Amino acid sequence: MIDMQGVYKKYPNGVTALNGVDVTIEQGEFVYIVGPSGAGKSTFIKLIFREVKPTNGKVVVNNVNLQKVKEKRIPHIRRDIGVVYQDFKLLPKLTVFENIAFALEVIEETPKNIRRRVMEVLDLVGLKNKARFIPDELSGGEQQRVSIARAIVNHPKLVIADEPTGNLDPDTSWGIMNILEEINARGTTIIMATHSKEIVNTVKKRVIAIEGGLIVRDEHRGEYGYEV
Ligand code: ADP
Ligand code: ADP
């Protein structure tokens, strides 16, 4: 699913964010990415959906070598990846339904299929009754559930979540974790960067720790490993 070999990323300002990363992630895995601020976690995640390009090294995602892919195919490749952000990134003037339908409209689905699929994912995240609300009318946890629904509406093989519970209280965070686990149980690979020691140490999964641009730990059913 994901294969990185000898990956380096140096930003134009001279900062080296990744310093030789080798890692393989298989289809269906659930992986936590942990490490201190500035370690390179976001850069690692952004390489996967080609928001940043490596300075050096090989990045293969869904059998596509991102080094060799033509720019015009990038949007197509991104359609197989759902992304969930800490700050949700919902469009404030659109309803919940429209925020989710947006991703389907760009691939020219029929209105009937769009409606069926949007209601299906809203059901999965427990928000069928909020389809007509706008984001401001929802709690933080509900907004994050909308953003997860949006991320999975195209049936991606991979969902990347960059600190999805970073802005949520502990109770709400567990609800989000349950949904991500449910999506994983249906076969979707999940890669989740997180600072939640409680979640990582309770819901045991593979843990990849990044420090100073290097993978310093990669454990099956690992621990968070930091004090905060
Ligand atoms: P983390 O997500 O673990 O906090 P990042 O990948 O965001 O780490 O950052 C790794 C390093 O790269 C940090 O020193 C950060 O300041 C730097 N960095 C991140 N993004 C950029 C950018 N667009 N331009 C320059 N430096 C950046
Ligand atoms: P949480 O406990 O998840 O933080 P809130 O207390 O923020 O939830 O919200 C509880 C309920 O009130 C939610 O179902 C949400 O839809 C509704 N709600 C929150 N803020 C608004 C708002 N500005 N306008 C309308 N409804 C709101």
Side-chain angles (χ1 to χ4, degrees), residues 21 24 28 41 44 60 63-64 66 81 90 119 141 206 227:
V21 166
T24 308
K41 301 181 298 294
F44 176 83
V60 178
N63 295 317
V64 178
L66 296 187
I81 304 174
L90 300 172
M119 294 319 284
R206 180 177 175 184
E227 269 323 300

Side-chain angles (χ1 to χ4, degrees), residues 56-117:
N56 228 314
K58 183 177 81 167
V59 181
V60 178
V61 178
N62 283 332
N63 295 317
V64 178
N65 188 332
L66 296 187
Q67 254 170 329
K68 296 187 174 152
V69 73
K70 296 209 168 62
E71 284 300 322
K72 66 169 196 245
R73 281 203 61 218
I74 300 293
H76 188 257
I77 285 162
R78 287 196 181 135
R79 249 171 247 152
D80 277 330
I81 304 174
V83 186
V84 176
Y85 299 93
Q86 177 172 4
D87 59 357
F88 326 133
K89 296 201 192 300
L90 300 172
L91 296 168
K93 293 192 171 143
L94 299 187
T95 65
V96 164
F97 185 95
E98 290 162 346
N99 263 282
I100 299 167
F102 200 70
L104 291 173
E105 275 155 6
V106 298
I107 60 167
E108 294 171 2
E109 270 291 355
T110 63
K112 190 177 158 205
N113 281 343
I114 290 176
R115 187 170 168 77
R116 188 172 43 95
R117 182 60 188 150

Side-chain angles (χ1 to χ4, degrees), residues 207-226:
V207 175
I208 294 177
I210 300 180
E211 291 178 26
L214 287 168
I215 293 181
V216 294
R217 185 155 56 89
D218 184 353
E219 295 164 344
H220 179 62
R221 296 176 61 80
E223 293 275 332
Y224 182 68
Y226 301 97

Side-chain angles (χ1 to χ4, degrees), residues 166-206:
N167 283 344
L168 306 175
D169 59 52
D171 280 354
T172 312
S173 299
W174 288 115
I176 295 299
M177 263 315 282
N178 289 341
I179 292 168
L180 292 174
E181 282 202 273
E182 173 62 30
I183 293 164
N184 178 241
R186 295 175 183 208
T188 311
T189 309
I190 311 260
I191 298 179
M192 170 172 160
T194 184
H195 281 121
S196 173
K197 178 182 178 180
E198 202 189 349
I199 288 175
V200 174
N201 289 349
T202 307
V203 186
K204 293 288 190 141
K205 306 285 183 191
R206 180 177 175 184

Side-chain angles (χ1 to χ4, degrees), residues 130 133 136-142 145 169 172:
K130 303 256 161 112
F133 285 50
D136 263 357
E137 294 168 336
L138 303 178
S139 70
E142 288 171 329
R145 285 190 270 154
D169 59 52
T172 312

